[in-house]
Amino acid sequence: MITDIEDFFAKGCGRCDRFATPDCVARIWSEGLDALRRICLDAGLAETVKWGHPCYMHAGRNIVLIGALRGDFRLNFFKSALMTDPEGLLERQGPNTRNPDTIRFAGPADVARLEPVLRAYLREAMDYAEQGLVPQQAPAEIVLPDELVDALDADPELAEAFHALTPGRQRSYVIHLSSAKTSATRLARIERCRGKIIAGKGFNER
């Protein structure tokens, strides 16, 4: 992954083999991404790179992340549960996203049309950061797949390690296991994940 912010806008994030090629989505959406960058910088946000993407910060807190996919490019808000979203622009990134946190763009014209609203949304998020506000969220209920329940019952070391994980890390394994279509696949995934669980890591951590 890239570590230099300019590389993203010139070559891409570096997370796939399309990096620095004409097929890179950062190049395909370059005009729109440049427009989002300008708006974020004009708002007074500090620019850095996180997870291979441009991240914009204020008052020591992540505010938004710029990203691009094949079908669109996006502005992703952190702490989005605080946002009032009066224009109804925020969407969930995926079925496992708790709160709507993403504005999608189909082209640079969308950015130009929404620029006043984007500036207002950024200002709102920056105000929350300055106040140190964080969303109050009820813990999400984690429903364990039957295969995982059986594995934990049969393996005290695994059970102790799993229950010591943060709710977010536990949830990452539940999502991974629940996406399997068969019980045999879920059992195989549990076996492959055992070492990471014992090490106290979430599924997506290295």
Side-chain angles (χ1 to χ4, degrees):
M1 290 187 292
I2 60 161
T3 57
D4 185 328
I5 188 68
E6 298 300 334
D7 281 344
F8 178 84
F9 294 98
K11 305 175 185 177
C13 66
R15 299 177 68 155
C16 75
D17 57 10
R18 293 192 299 271
F19 179 65
T21 72
D23 290 331
C24 176
V25 291
R27 288 186 168 181
I28 292 171
W29 297 115
S30 61
E31 185 178 350
L33 296 172
D34 286 343
L36 287 180
R37 183 188 197 187
R38 174 183 55 79
I39 292 169
C40 290
L41 292 176
D42 285 352
L45 293 167
E47 185 179 61
T48 186
V49 176
K50 293 190 177 182
W51 309 286
H53 289 76
C55 182
Y56 296 86
M57 303 180 66
H58 183 68
R61 195 154 92 183
N62 297 331
I63 301 297
V64 288
L65 191 80
I66 288 177
L69 297 174
R70 301 296 289 179
D72 58 50
F73 58 102
R74 306 175 178 190
L75 192 64
N76 301 319
F77 282 79
F78 295 89
K79 304 289 189 290
S80 63
L82 293 169
M83 300 295 292
T84 56
D85 190 19
E87 303 297 327
L89 296 177
L90 294 174
E91 305 175 33
R92 284 180 170 82
Q93 291 190 60
N96 298 309
T97 305
R98 277 197 182 185
N99 301 292
D101 60 356
T102 298
I103 301 177
R104 305 173 198 261
F105 306 91
D110 285 351
V111 180
R113 175 175 55 84
L114 293 172
E115 181 167 347
V117 178
L118 297 177
R119 290 182 179 275
Y121 277 36
L122 291 174
R123 184 65 259 174
E124 180 183 355
M126 292 166 70
D127 287 344
Y128 295 142
E130 290 169 4
Q131 298 171 51
L133 296 179
V134 294
Q136 298 297 316
Q137 294 182 338
E141 182 181 2
I142 300 174
V143 180
L144 305 185
D146 290 342
E147 293 83 359
L148 181 57
V149 172
D150 291 342
L152 297 179
D153 286 344
D155 187 338
E157 183 182 10
L158 180 63
E160 182 179 357
F162 183 83
H163 291 302
L165 296 175
T166 63
R169 289 189 173 102
Q170 291 181 5
R171 191 164 176 261
S172 71
Y173 287 108
V174 170
I175 291 170
H176 175 57
L177 296 175
S178 298
S179 68
K181 294 182 179 180
T182 68
S183 179
T185 301
R186 285 189 286 275
L187 289 171
R189 289 184 179 184
I190 291 169
E191 182 61 29
R192 286 197 298 270
C193 291
R194 187 181 186 279
K196 292 182 74 170
I197 295 173
I198 298 296
K201 296 180 178 181
F203 173 71
N204 296 310
E205 294 178 275
R206 294 184 178 180

